[in-house]
Amino acid sequence: MALSSLDNTFIRPHPRLENINRSQEALKFDSYEEALIATQMEEFRRRQLKYNPSKNLNENHSKKTGRKKISFDSSVSVLPIPMRSEYSERIKSRIWSSALEIHENAARNSVEFAAEGWDWRRVTEDEKMYVCSVTGELIHPVHYDADFHKDTYDKV
């Protein structure tokens, strides 16, 4: 547990962060690639200056970069991400959709988009959706209002 410096109380970390093997690693940095990019950028600036001599890109570039700079720590904290085979069936079912779910969603989306005249500019916004009182899920009006598509396009 971490000790708070303000009032000497213990602060418990979030449960998802407990029992996770974190490690420190050196930042992976390819100096050859960095030098190659710098050379390519310099060549690009020279070509730009050759075709547009009125703009001195080197002066503008140095003025812009002189104001703000960023840097990276040479050591990074690594948090491993489990492979898909390491998840339990319960977690897998919450992260990924089955083929049946994907098919059902595609069919539902097709009905809803057809009701909107296949026009992305006329899609029903969240404020016009019904809200399921049990799940809180948004439900497209076409599933409750048989005249939805007629009412929508009579007004346009």
Side-chain angles (χ1 to χ4, degrees):
M1 290 196 192
L3 183 63
S4 170
S5 61
L6 296 176
D7 57 4
N8 294 331
T9 60
F10 286 103
I11 300 172
R12 183 182 170 141
H14 193 281
R16 277 187 252 153
L17 300 177
E18 290 180 353
N19 301 323
I20 295 178
N21 296 327
R22 290 175 180 246
S23 62
Q24 288 291 116
E25 282 187 24
L27 186 63
K28 292 175 177 64
F29 177 76
D30 187 351
S31 57
Y32 173 76
E33 182 181 12
E34 192 68 22
L36 180 64
I37 291 170
T39 304
Q40 290 172 340
M41 288 301 294
E42 189 58 38
E43 181 61 31
F44 172 76
R45 286 188 198 102
R46 273 194 225 113
R47 274 189 259 129
Q48 291 294 324
L49 189 58
K50 178 180 174 183
Y51 293 113
N52 193 355
S54 63
K55 278 190 170 180
N56 189 343
L57 294 176
N58 287 332
E59 286 178 14
N60 291 340
H61 179 71
S62 63
K63 286 179 186 175
K64 288 180 184 175
T65 57
R67 283 186 270 162
K68 293 183 181 179
K69 292 185 179 183
I70 63 167
S71 62
F72 296 95
D73 197 345
S74 60
S75 178
V76 294
S77 180
V78 178
L79 180 67
I81 299 172
M83 293 183 349
R84 62 184 172 91
S85 59
E86 295 173 330
Y87 287 105
S88 68
E89 289 303 318
R90 181 181 66 86
I91 298 297
K92 283 181 189 177
S93 69
R94 291 182 181 202
I95 295 176
W96 295 287
S97 298
S98 68
L100 177 62
E101 282 180 287
I102 292 170
H103 178 75
E104 289 172 348
N105 289 339
R108 186 193 69 244
N109 291 344
S110 294
V111 168
E112 294 170 359
F113 198 46
E116 294 163 338
W118 302 100
D119 184 0
W120 62 269
R121 291 176 212 88
R122 293 180 171 173
V123 296
T124 303
E125 298 293 335
D126 289 354
E127 301 82 43
K128 304 266 180 157
M129 299 274 192
Y130 293 108
V131 179
C132 175
S133 61
V134 177
T135 64
E137 187 176 5
L138 297 176
I139 302 171
H140 195 283
V142 72
H143 301 293
Y144 286 101
D145 185 1
D147 295 328
F148 168 78
H149 56 296
K150 190 168 44 171
D151 293 342
T152 302
Y153 298 111
D154 288 346
K155 295 175 186 173
V156 176

